[in-house]
Each structure stands twice: as structure tokens, then as C-alpha cells.
Amino acid sequence: MKNECIDCDCVLRSSVQMKDCQLELLGGSHAVVKFKRGDTIIRQGVFSTNVIFLRKGMAKVHLSGPSREQIVKLVKAPTYLGLPTTFGDKINQYSVTAVTESEVCFIDIEVFKKLLAENNDFSAFILMELCKSELEAYRRCASRTQKQLRGNLADVLLEFSEHLFESDRFLLPLSQSDIGNWVDAGRESINRALSEFIADGIIRMEGKQVTILDKKLLQLISQNG
Amino acid sequence: MKNECIDCDCVLRSSVQMKDCQLELLGGSHAVVKFKRGDTIIRQGVFSTNVIFLRKGMAKVHLSGPSREQIVKLVKAPTYLGLPTTFGDKINQYSVTAVTESEVCFIDIEVFKKLLAENNDFSAFILMELCKSELEAYRRCASRTQKQLRGNLADVLLEFSEHLFESDRFLLPLSQSDIGNWVDAGRESINRALSEFIADGIIRMEGKQVTILDKKLLQLISQNG
DNA sequence: GGAAAGATGTGACATTTCTCACAAAATAGT
DNA sequence: ACTATTTTGTGAGAAATGTCACATCTTTCC
């Protein structure tokens, strides 16, 4: 098998120096798999022995809450998936589902641990990533719970436009009830708020195709809402 | 200065083997400080170069949200404080405030990084801690946003009783408005719900002294809503 | 190509919680 | 010991969302 890791983003992205032998190790022990939209990449409640690297695509991280499914965040390639759930616990504590066509590598956890132990740069990098995502989790949670519907919906739209697709025009990869599960609202409320945004000329929607017409206003709603 | 680290919980707790020279390093570079209830240990928005180890006491982790202060969690000694905020960003992204008399060590971040690099056990331990707290953050956030007031208040009381004080009788270290900022509710609502719990014979309160009378029922309320 | 499943649009109404207003109690500071 | 400040208790009405009930649309899959 050709060692795909050598030109894989997962290494480039880490901006970490890896010795050839370490790349060998990685290359010899992983499997690249494709997922379709809606496919489960990591399933909550299942025993896990792999860290996953998302090479291409976009995925939602979600877990089952007391009364419904809670979407925690959306992530796009390139990124690691399931670090906390694989290290923190043998059993997956959350699910990850592809929301667009995706491509991932499964990396055996023992190999991953070996790399962490051998390569201090790498382990410092991972540590930093974990710190950042914990901070992000705190911020997002505070923001979600304190803002009301319109503010949260504006955040979601801005998140898509600015971080995930980096464009004012994109195909919404979530259903309205998914968005509800993300921002803690009912499907109907999301629907009504979207209609308002359209009526106010803030966005345009043709099917799943969203165009942001007035980003300034959206940012204002995000702040004040 | 005597090297207090040798018999400090921070080392014991890590269950990590430290070489004598590493302990020296730690012992020679930290400062032990006492804090009173209400004192700020870490202040959001301020430049930081220290990791902090909470030796004794209890503290709240909180950050300023869009419309009010959000309490993220309560922690008790022994534990590290501010790892994410010190590693993830030079500027503190959250505050930590003592809620009981506390004692902490300030550990210079360069020393901490050196230890991480030198001691793989230690760095694996820290990595694991970070993973666990990220998982915990996700779970708590989902729980808080999906449950309603009584359920969340029950959770808070159980958290005090089962994890923080490990007793059915304890001195509530937060004001009612703090509790509100923790579970995303107004101060008045917390007050009313507490009164209900008292009226229902679930708890007793004499001033700040709380006694849990019916833990089973409290757990039921926590589950159902 | 047609049935079944899933996603979206929309109304009416019930609920929960917030907000404002004020009073009483407790705590801290001098 | 006596203010000043913070915390707690309580009512009444407002506001935001949730819930339920249907009527379309769309997509998926035999």
C-alpha cells in the first residue's frame, strides 16, 4: 500500500515535524474510508479504538441529551475527530455524522499514543488543539444559552458563511430540525425565524441554497439577540 | 525555600512518576497563595503566564457571555486550573473565582511546558484530563439547555452533595443569583424553585445550610426535567 | 412512476420563564 | 453599632418558545 500520509493534510496541517519512520508507522496502520452525507462516522455508546482524521468534508458532532439529540458543533476537514471521546473514555461519548461527502482515516489509538510519546512537537500540538476546543465549547455554550432564537440563527448562518464554506452563498447541509437541535429550539421556531430573515431581505433561499444579502445586519442580530 | 511540592497533592494526584530533578524544578519556581471567598484567582481578559494548581478549596469557572456572566462549572481541590486558557491563548478566556477559602500554586508556564516535554507520563495524564473535561463540558451544556429549571436546580444540589461536598448537608457557597448564572435562569426563578423544593420536603434550608431530605426524588426531578 | 418517508410551512394556544417593582433580611465596612 | 450594600422573598403581567394539528412539498427507494 502506498503511504498516503506523506502528502496528507493531516501531517501538513499539524505543522509538526515527523520523522520518516513515524510517517511509516502512520501510513502502515491506517485505513482511508469514504462516507456519504448522513453516514455515522463515530457512534455514541460504541467501543472505540481509533482516532479519526477527517481529510475531506464536513461533519456534525452530536450527543443524546436528556430529551433530544444535541448538536455540539460542526467541523470541516482537515481536523481530528473523536480525540476526547477516544482518550477520555473507551466508549464513545458522542457521535459524529457526515453532513457532506467525507473522507477519513482511522488511526489506531496505540499508534497515535506512540506518536504522542515519541514526538513532543506533535503532542504539544494536540494538547493545544484540545485546549482551544475546550475554550470554544465554553464560549459557544454561553452564547447559545444566553441569546435568543434570532441571535442564534444568525450565528449559525454566519458560521456557515464565514468559517465552514467561506462564502456568502452555500448549500445548507442541515435540515431545519438539525438547526433546532444545534441552537436549542424547535423546528417550527427555526422555520418561522428563517421566514422572517427572508421577509426582511437578510437572506435569500432557493431550496437549500442560501445567499446572505445583508451580512452587517446579520452580525447585528447575532450581537443583540 | 522548602520544596513543598514533594508532599503536595498536585504530584500525588497526578499519579505520575516525577524525577527528583523535576520536582526541584517545580518546587523552585512556584508560589503558594491563599485566597478568600470571592477573590479572583484568574481574571478573564488578562495576560497570563501561569498554570495554577488548586491545592485546597473550591472555585467557580465563569466567563462573560453576551448578556451576563456565565458560570461554566465548579471545581474543588486538587485540580489544575486554567490549562485551556493558559495554553490555548495568551489572554485568559475565562475567570476563576474562589467560592471557599482556597490555596493555590502558581506554576510558570515555561516550567510546566518543560515538564510536559520531559515527562511523557505527565503529558499523557494532562492530555487525558483535557479530554475528560471537554466531554464533561459537552454533556453539561446539553443537559443544562434541555432541562428546565427544576431539573437543573436538582442537578446543582446533587452536584454539591455528591461530588463537591460528598455529604447530604453542606453550606451553599453560591448566592441564588450565582446559581441562576450557572443554570441559565433568573435569580427570582431560582428562589421560587428552591421554595418549592422546601415546601415539598425535598430539602431543608437554614440560612445557607442545605440538607437534602429526599435524594431519590431529587434524582427523579433531575432526570425528568 | 408511485408510494412511503422525511422535510417544510403555518395557525392557535399553552407554558415557562423573564422582567419589573418593591420589601425585608442579612452581611460587610467604618 | 450603624449605614451601605448585597442577598433574598414575592406578586403580577409580558414575552418568547414550545406543542399540537394539519397541509404541502421533496426525496428516496422499490
Side-chain angles (χ1 to χ4, degrees), chain A residues 141-211:
Chain A
C141 181
S143 170
R144 256 201 340 251
T145 52
Q146 287 183 32
K147 284 181 189 171
Q148 47 194 70
L149 196 48
R150 288 168 57 90
N152 282 321
L153 186 56
D155 281 343
V156 166
L157 293 171
L158 289 170
E159 172 82 11
F160 279 125
S161 145
E162 303 196 327
H163 298 135
L164 295 169
F165 293 108
E166 298 174 41
S167 158
D168 285 354
R169 201 178 157 75
F170 53 87
L171 269 181
L172 198 60
L174 297 182
S175 71
Q176 294 182 359
S177 66
D178 268 341
I179 297 178
N181 287 337
W182 193 4
V183 304
D184 309 301
R187 186 211 102 227
E188 296 92 330
S189 305
I190 297 291
N191 185 286
R192 281 185 255 263
L194 275 176
S195 303
E196 274 178 49
F197 282 180
I198 293 168
D200 294 351
I202 300 172
I203 59 172
R204 181 169 53 218
M205 286 187 74
E206 290 118 342
K208 292 271 190 189
Q209 176 81 243
V210 177
T211 312

Coordinates of all heavy atoms in Angstrom, one line a residue, chain A residues 141-211:
Chain A
C141 N -21.3 27.6 24.3 CA -22.4 27.2 25.2 C -23.0 28.4 25.9 O -24.2 28.6 25.9 CB -21.9 26.2 26.2 SG -23.2 25.6 27.3
A142 N -22.2 29.3 26.3 CA -22.7 30.5 27.0 C -23.5 31.4 26.0 O -24.5 31.9 26.3 CB -21.5 31.4 27.5
S143 N -22.9 31.5 24.8 CA -23.6 32.3 23.8 C -24.9 31.7 23.4 O -25.9 32.4 23.4 CB -22.7 32.3 22.6 OG -23.3 32.9 21.5
R144 N -25.0 30.4 23.2 CA -26.2 29.7 22.8 C -27.3 29.9 23.9 O -28.5 30.1 23.6 CB -26.0 28.2 22.6 CG -26.0 27.9 21.1 CD -26.2 26.4 20.9 NE -26.1 25.5 22.0 CZ -25.1 24.7 22.1 NH1 -24.1 24.6 21.2 NH2 -25.0 23.9 23.1
T145 N -26.9 29.7 25.1 CA -27.9 29.7 26.2 C -28.4 31.1 26.5 O -29.5 31.3 27.0 CB -27.5 29.0 27.4 OG1 -26.2 29.6 27.8 CG2 -27.3 27.5 27.2
Q146 N -27.6 32.1 26.2 CA -28.0 33.5 26.6 C -28.7 34.2 25.5 O -29.4 35.1 25.7 CB -26.7 34.2 27.1 CG -26.3 33.8 28.4 CD -25.1 34.6 29.0 OE1 -25.0 35.8 28.7 NE2 -24.3 33.9 29.7
K147 N -28.4 33.9 24.3 CA -29.0 34.6 23.2 C -30.4 33.9 22.9 O -30.6 32.8 23.2 CB -28.2 34.4 21.9 CG -27.0 35.3 21.9 CD -26.3 35.2 20.6 CE -24.9 35.9 20.6 NZ -24.1 35.5 19.4
Q148 N -31.3 34.7 22.2 CA -32.5 34.0 21.8 C -32.4 33.7 20.4 O -31.4 33.9 19.7 CB -33.7 34.8 22.3 CG -33.7 36.3 22.0 CD -34.8 36.9 22.8 OE1 -34.8 37.0 24.0 NE2 -35.8 37.4 22.1
L149 N -33.5 33.1 19.9 CA -33.6 32.4 18.6 C -32.9 33.1 17.5 O -32.0 32.6 16.8 CB -35.0 32.1 18.3 CG -35.3 31.1 17.2 CD1 -34.4 29.9 17.4 CD2 -36.7 30.8 17.2
R150 N -33.3 34.4 17.2 CA -32.8 35.1 16.1 C -31.3 35.3 16.2 O -30.6 35.1 15.2 CB -33.5 36.4 16.0 CG -35.0 36.4 15.5 CD -35.7 37.7 15.7 NE -35.1 38.8 15.0 CZ -35.4 39.1 13.7 NH1 -36.3 38.5 13.1 NH2 -34.8 40.1 13.2
G151 N -30.8 35.5 17.3 CA -29.4 35.7 17.5 C -28.6 34.4 17.2 O -27.6 34.4 16.5
N152 N -29.2 33.3 17.7 CA -28.5 32.0 17.5 C -28.6 31.6 16.0 O -27.6 31.1 15.5 CB -29.2 31.0 18.4 CG -28.7 31.0 19.8 OD1 -27.6 31.3 20.1 ND2 -29.7 30.8 20.7
L153 N -29.7 31.9 15.4 CA -29.8 31.5 14.0 C -28.9 32.3 13.2 O -28.2 31.8 12.2 CB -31.3 31.7 13.5 CG -31.6 31.3 12.1 CD1 -31.2 29.8 11.9 CD2 -33.1 31.5 11.8
A154 N -28.8 33.6 13.5 CA -27.8 34.5 12.8 C -26.4 33.9 13.0 O -25.6 33.8 12.0 CB -27.8 35.9 13.4
D155 N -26.1 33.4 14.2 CA -24.8 32.8 14.4 C -24.5 31.6 13.5 O -23.4 31.4 13.0 CB -24.6 32.4 15.9 CG -24.3 33.5 16.8 OD1 -23.9 34.6 16.3 OD2 -24.5 33.4 18.0
V156 N -25.5 30.8 13.4 CA -25.4 29.6 12.6 C -25.1 30.0 11.1 O -24.2 29.5 10.5 CB -26.7 28.7 12.6 CG1 -26.7 27.7 11.5 CG2 -26.8 28.1 14.0
L157 N -25.9 30.9 10.6 CA -25.7 31.4 9.2 C -24.3 32.0 9.0 O -23.6 31.7 8.0 CB -26.8 32.4 8.8 CG -28.2 31.8 8.8 CD1 -29.2 32.9 8.6 CD2 -28.3 30.8 7.7
L158 N -23.9 32.7 10.0 CA -22.5 33.3 9.9 C -21.5 32.3 10.0 O -20.4 32.4 9.3 CB -22.4 34.4 11.0 CG -23.2 35.7 10.8 CD1 -23.1 36.6 12.0 CD2 -22.6 36.5 9.6
E159 N -21.7 31.3 10.9 CA -20.7 30.2 11.0 C -20.5 29.5 9.6 O -19.4 29.2 9.2 CB -21.2 29.2 12.0 CG -20.5 27.9 12.2 CD -19.2 28.1 13.0 OE1 -19.1 29.1 13.7 OE2 -18.4 27.1 13.0
F160 N -21.6 29.2 9.0 CA -21.6 28.6 7.7 C -20.8 29.5 6.7 O -19.9 29.1 6.0 CB -23.0 28.3 7.1 CG -23.6 27.0 7.6 CD1 -24.8 27.0 8.2 CD2 -22.9 25.8 7.5 CE1 -25.4 25.9 8.7 CE2 -23.4 24.7 8.0 CZ -24.7 24.7 8.6
S161 N -21.2 30.7 6.7 CA -20.7 31.6 5.7 C -19.3 32.0 5.9 O -18.4 32.0 5.0 CB -21.6 32.9 5.7 OG -20.8 34.0 5.4
E162 N -18.9 32.2 7.2 CA -17.5 32.7 7.4 C -16.5 31.6 7.7 O -15.4 31.7 7.3 CB -17.6 33.7 8.6 CG -18.5 34.8 8.3 CD -18.4 36.1 9.2 OE1 -18.0 35.9 10.3 OE2 -18.6 37.2 8.7
H163 N -16.9 30.6 8.4 CA -15.9 29.6 8.8 C -16.0 28.3 8.0 O -15.0 27.7 7.6 CB -16.0 29.2 10.3 CG -15.8 30.4 11.2 ND1 -16.6 30.7 12.3 CD2 -14.8 31.3 11.1 CE1 -16.1 31.8 12.8 NE2 -15.1 32.2 12.2
L164 N -17.2 27.8 7.7 CA -17.3 26.5 7.1 C -17.2 26.5 5.6 O -16.4 25.8 5.0 CB -18.6 25.8 7.6 CG -18.6 25.5 9.1 CD1 -20.0 25.1 9.6 CD2 -17.6 24.5 9.5
F165 N -18.0 27.4 5.0 CA -17.9 27.5 3.5 C -17.1 28.6 3.0 O -16.7 28.7 1.8 CB -19.3 27.5 2.9 CG -20.1 26.3 3.1 CD1 -21.2 26.2 4.0 CD2 -19.8 25.1 2.4 CE1 -21.9 25.0 4.2 CE2 -20.5 23.9 2.6 CZ -21.6 23.9 3.5
E166 N -16.9 29.6 3.8 CA -16.2 30.8 3.4 C -16.7 31.4 2.2 O -16.0 31.7 1.2 CB -14.7 30.5 3.3 CG -14.1 30.0 4.7 CD -12.7 29.6 4.6 OE1 -11.9 30.2 3.9 OE2 -12.3 28.6 5.3
S167 N -18.0 31.6 2.2 CA -18.7 32.2 1.0 C -20.1 32.7 1.5 O -20.7 32.2 2.4 CB -18.9 31.2 -0.1 OG -19.9 31.5 -0.9
D168 N -20.6 33.7 0.8 CA -21.9 34.2 1.2 C -23.0 33.4 0.6 O -24.2 33.7 0.8 CB -22.1 35.7 0.6 CG -21.3 36.7 1.5 OD1 -20.7 36.2 2.5 OD2 -21.2 37.8 1.1
R169 N -22.6 32.4 -0.1 CA -23.6 31.6 -0.9 C -23.2 30.1 -0.6 O -22.1 29.7 -0.9 CB -23.5 31.9 -2.4 CG -24.6 31.6 -3.2 CD -24.3 32.1 -4.6 NE -25.1 31.3 -5.6 CZ -26.4 31.6 -5.8 NH1 -27.0 32.5 -5.1 NH2 -27.1 30.9 -6.7
F170 N -24.2 29.3 -0.1 CA -23.8 27.9 0.2 C -25.0 27.1 0.2 O -26.2 27.6 0.4 CB -23.0 27.9 1.5 CG -23.7 28.5 2.6 CD1 -24.7 27.8 3.4 CD2 -23.5 29.9 3.0 CE1 -25.4 28.4 4.5 CE2 -24.2 30.5 4.0 CZ -25.1 29.8 4.8
L171 N -24.8 25.8 0.1 CA -25.9 24.8 0.3 C -26.0 24.4 1.7 O -25.1 23.8 2.3 CB -25.6 23.6 -0.5 CG -26.1 23.5 -2.0 CD1 -25.7 22.2 -2.6 CD2 -27.6 23.7 -2.0
L172 N -27.1 24.8 2.4 CA -27.3 24.4 3.8 C -27.3 22.9 4.0 O -28.1 22.2 3.4 CB -28.7 25.0 4.2 CG -29.0 25.1 5.7 CD1 -28.0 26.1 6.3 CD2 -30.4 25.6 5.9
P173 N -26.3 22.4 4.7 CA -26.2 21.0 4.8 C -27.0 20.4 5.9 O -26.9 19.2 6.2 CB -24.7 20.8 5.0 CG -24.3 22.0 5.7 CD -25.2 23.1 5.4
L174 N -27.8 21.2 6.6 CA -28.6 20.7 7.8 C -30.1 20.9 7.5 O -30.4 21.9 6.9 CB -28.2 21.4 9.1 CG -26.8 21.2 9.6 CD1 -26.7 22.0 10.9 CD2 -26.4 19.8 9.8
S175 N -30.9 20.0 8.0 CA -32.3 20.3 8.0 C -32.7 21.3 9.0 O -31.9 21.6 9.9 CB -33.1 19.0 8.3 OG -32.9 18.6 9.6
Q176 N -33.9 21.8 9.0 CA -34.3 22.8 9.9 C -34.4 22.2 11.3 O -34.1 22.9 12.3 CB -35.6 23.4 9.5 CG -35.5 24.2 8.3 CD -36.8 24.9 7.9 OE1 -37.9 24.7 8.5 NE2 -36.8 25.6 6.8
S177 N -34.7 21.0 11.4 CA -34.8 20.4 12.8 C -33.4 20.1 13.3 O -33.1 20.2 14.5 CB -35.6 19.1 12.8 OG -35.1 18.1 12.1
D178 N -32.4 19.9 12.4 CA -31.0 19.8 12.9 C -30.6 21.2 13.4 O -29.9 21.2 14.5 CB -30.1 19.5 11.7 CG -29.8 18.0 11.6 OD1 -30.1 17.3 12.6 OD2 -29.4 17.5 10.5
I179 N -30.9 22.2 12.7 CA -30.5 23.5 13.2 C -31.2 23.8 14.6 O -30.5 24.3 15.5 CB -31.0 24.6 12.2 CG1 -30.2 24.4 10.9 CG2 -30.7 26.0 12.8 CD1 -30.6 25.4 9.8
G180 N -32.4 23.3 14.7 CA -33.1 23.4 16.0 C -32.3 22.7 17.1 O -32.1 23.2 18.2
N181 N -31.8 21.5 16.8 CA -31.1 20.7 17.7 C -29.7 21.3 18.0 O -29.1 21.0 19.0 CB -30.9 19.3 17.2 CG -32.1 18.5 17.3 OD1 -33.0 18.8 18.1 ND2 -32.2 17.5 16.5
W182 N -29.3 22.2 17.2 CA -28.0 22.8 17.4 C -28.2 24.0 18.3 O -27.4 24.2 19.3 CB -27.4 23.3 16.0 CG -26.0 23.7 16.1 CD1 -25.1 23.7 17.1 CD2 -25.2 24.3 15.0 NE1 -23.9 24.1 16.8 CE2 -23.9 24.5 15.5 CE3 -25.5 24.5 13.7 CZ2 -22.9 25.0 14.6 CZ3 -24.5 25.1 12.8 CH2 -23.2 25.3 13.3
V183 N -29.2 24.8 18.1 CA -29.3 26.1 18.8 C -30.4 26.0 19.9 O -30.9 27.0 20.4 CB -29.6 27.3 17.9 CG1 -28.5 27.4 16.9 CG2 -30.9 27.2 17.2
D184 N -30.9 24.8 20.2 CA -31.8 24.6 21.2 C -33.2 25.3 21.0 O -33.6 26.1 21.7 CB -31.3 25.1 22.6 CG -29.9 24.5 22.8 OD1 -29.8 23.3 22.9 OD2 -28.9 25.3 22.9
A185 N -33.7 24.9 19.8 CA -35.0 25.5 19.5 C -35.8 24.4 18.8 O -35.3 23.5 18.3 CB -34.9 26.7 18.6
G186 N -37.1 24.6 18.7 CA -38.0 23.7 18.0 C -37.9 24.0 16.5 O -37.5 25.1 16.1
R187 N -38.2 22.9 15.7 CA -38.1 23.0 14.3 C -39.0 24.2 13.8 O -38.6 24.9 12.9 CB -38.6 21.7 13.7 CG -38.5 21.5 12.3 CD -39.6 20.6 11.8 NE -40.6 21.4 11.2 CZ -41.9 21.3 11.4 NH1 -42.4 20.4 12.2 NH2 -42.8 22.1 10.8
E188 N -40.2 24.3 14.3 CA -41.1 25.3 13.9 C -40.6 26.7 14.1 O -40.8 27.6 13.3 CB -42.5 25.1 14.6 CG -43.2 23.8 14.3 CD -42.8 22.7 15.4 OE1 -41.7 22.8 15.9 OE2 -43.7 21.9 15.6
S189 N -40.0 26.9 15.2 CA -39.4 28.2 15.5 C -38.3 28.6 14.5 O -38.3 29.7 14.1 CB -38.9 28.2 17.0 OG -39.8 27.8 17.9
I190 N -37.5 27.6 14.2 CA -36.4 27.9 13.2 C -37.1 28.3 11.9 O -36.7 29.3 11.3 CB -35.6 26.6 13.0 CG1 -34.8 26.2 14.3 CG2 -34.6 26.9 11.9 CD1 -33.8 27.2 14.7
N191 N -38.1 27.5 11.5 CA -38.7 27.8 10.3 C -39.3 29.3 10.3 O -39.1 30.0 9.3 CB -39.9 26.8 10.1 CG -40.6 27.0 8.8 OD1 -41.3 27.9 8.6 ND2 -40.3 26.1 7.8
R192 N -40.0 29.6 11.3 CA -40.5 31.0 11.4 C -39.5 32.0 11.3 O -39.6 33.0 10.6 CB -41.4 31.1 12.6 CG -42.8 30.5 12.5 CD -43.6 30.8 13.8 NE -43.7 29.6 14.6 CZ -44.7 28.7 14.6 NH1 -45.7 28.9 13.7 NH2 -44.7 27.7 15.4
A193 N -38.4 31.8 12.1 CA -37.3 32.8 12.1 C -36.6 32.9 10.7 O -36.3 34.1 10.3 CB -36.3 32.5 13.2
L194 N -36.5 31.8 10.0 CA -35.9 31.9 8.7 C -36.8 32.7 7.8 O -36.3 33.5 7.0 CB -35.7 30.4 8.1 CG -34.4 29.7 8.5 CD1 -34.4 28.3 8.0 CD2 -33.2 30.5 8.0
S195 N -38.1 32.4 7.9 CA -39.0 33.2 7.0 C -38.9 34.7 7.3 O -38.9 35.5 6.4 CB -40.5 32.7 7.3 OG -40.6 31.4 7.1
E196 N -38.8 35.0 8.6 CA -38.6 36.4 8.9 C -37.3 37.0 8.2 O -37.4 38.1 7.7 CB -38.4 36.6 10.4 CG -39.7 36.7 11.2 CD -39.4 36.8 12.7 OE1 -38.5 37.6 13.1 OE2 -40.0 36.1 13.4
F197 N -36.2 36.3 8.3 CA -35.0 36.7 7.7 C -35.2 37.0 6.2 O -34.6 37.9 5.7 CB -33.9 35.7 8.0 CG -33.3 35.8 9.3 CD1 -32.2 34.9 9.7 CD2 -33.7 36.7 10.3 CE1 -31.7 35.0 11.0 CE2 -33.2 36.8 11.6 CZ -32.2 35.9 11.9
I198 N -35.9 36.0 5.6 CA -36.1 36.2 4.2 C -37.0 37.4 3.9 O -36.7 38.2 3.1 CB -36.8 34.9 3.6 CG1 -35.8 33.7 3.7 CG2 -37.2 35.1 2.2 CD1 -36.5 32.4 3.4
A199 N -38.1 37.5 4.7 CA -39.0 38.7 4.5 C -38.3 40.0 4.7 O -38.5 41.0 4.1 CB -40.2 38.5 5.5
D200 N -37.3 40.0 5.7 CA -36.6 41.2 6.0 C -35.5 41.5 5.0 O -34.7 42.4 5.1 CB -36.0 41.2 7.4 CG -37.0 41.2 8.4 OD1 -38.2 41.4 8.1 OD2 -36.7 40.9 9.6
G201 N -35.3 40.6 4.0 CA -34.3 40.8 3.0 C -32.9 40.5 3.5 O -31.9 41.0 2.9
I202 N -32.7 39.8 4.6 CA -31.4 39.5 5.1 C -30.8 38.3 4.4 O -29.6 38.3 4.2 CB -31.5 39.2 6.6 CG1 -32.1 40.4 7.4 CG2 -30.1 38.8 7.2 CD1 -32.4 40.1 8.8
I203 N -31.6 37.3 4.0 CA -31.1 36.2 3.3 C -32.0 35.9 2.1 O -33.2 36.4 2.2 CB -30.9 34.9 4.1 CG1 -32.2 34.5 4.8 CG2 -29.8 35.1 5.2 CD1 -32.2 33.2 5.5
R204 N -31.6 35.1 1.2 CA -32.5 34.5 0.2 C -32.3 33.0 0.2 O -31.2 32.5 0.4 CB -32.1 35.1 -1.2 CG -33.0 34.6 -2.3 CD -32.8 35.3 -3.6 NE -31.4 35.3 -4.0 CZ -30.7 36.3 -4.6 NH1 -31.4 37.5 -4.8 NH2 -29.5 36.3 -4.9
M205 N -33.4 32.3 0.0 CA -33.2 30.8 0.0 C -34.0 30.3 -1.3 O -35.1 30.6 -1.5 CB -33.8 30.2 1.2 CG -33.0 30.4 2.5 SD -33.6 29.5 3.9 CE -33.2 27.8 3.4
E206 N -33.2 29.5 -2.1 CA -33.8 28.8 -3.2 C -33.6 27.3 -2.8 O -32.5 26.8 -3.1 CB -33.2 29.1 -4.5 CG -33.5 30.6 -5.0 CD -32.3 31.4 -5.1 OE1 -31.2 31.1 -4.5 OE2 -32.4 32.5 -5.8
G207 N -34.5 26.7 -2.3 CA -34.3 25.3 -1.8 C -33.3 25.4 -0.6 O -33.5 26.1 0.3
K208 N -32.3 24.6 -0.8 CA -31.3 24.6 0.3 C -30.2 25.6 0.1 O -29.2 25.7 0.8 CB -30.6 23.2 0.3 CG -31.5 22.1 0.8 CD -31.4 22.0 2.3 CE -32.2 20.7 2.8 NZ -32.3 20.7 4.3
Q209 N -30.3 26.3 -1.1 CA -29.2 27.3 -1.5 C -29.5 28.6 -0.7 O -30.5 29.2 -0.9 CB -29.3 27.5 -3.0 CG -28.4 28.6 -3.5 CD -27.0 28.1 -3.7 OE1 -26.1 28.5 -3.1 NE2 -26.8 27.1 -4.6
V210 N -28.6 28.9 0.2 CA -28.7 30.1 0.9 C -27.8 31.2 0.4 O -26.6 31.0 0.1 CB -28.4 29.9 2.4 CG1 -28.5 31.2 3.2 CG2 -29.3 28.8 3.0
T211 N -28.3 32.4 0.3 CA -27.5 33.6 -0.1 C -27.6 34.6 1.0 O -28.8 35.0 1.4 CB -27.9 34.2 -1.4 OG1 -28.0 33.1 -2.4 CG2 -26.8 35.2 -1.9

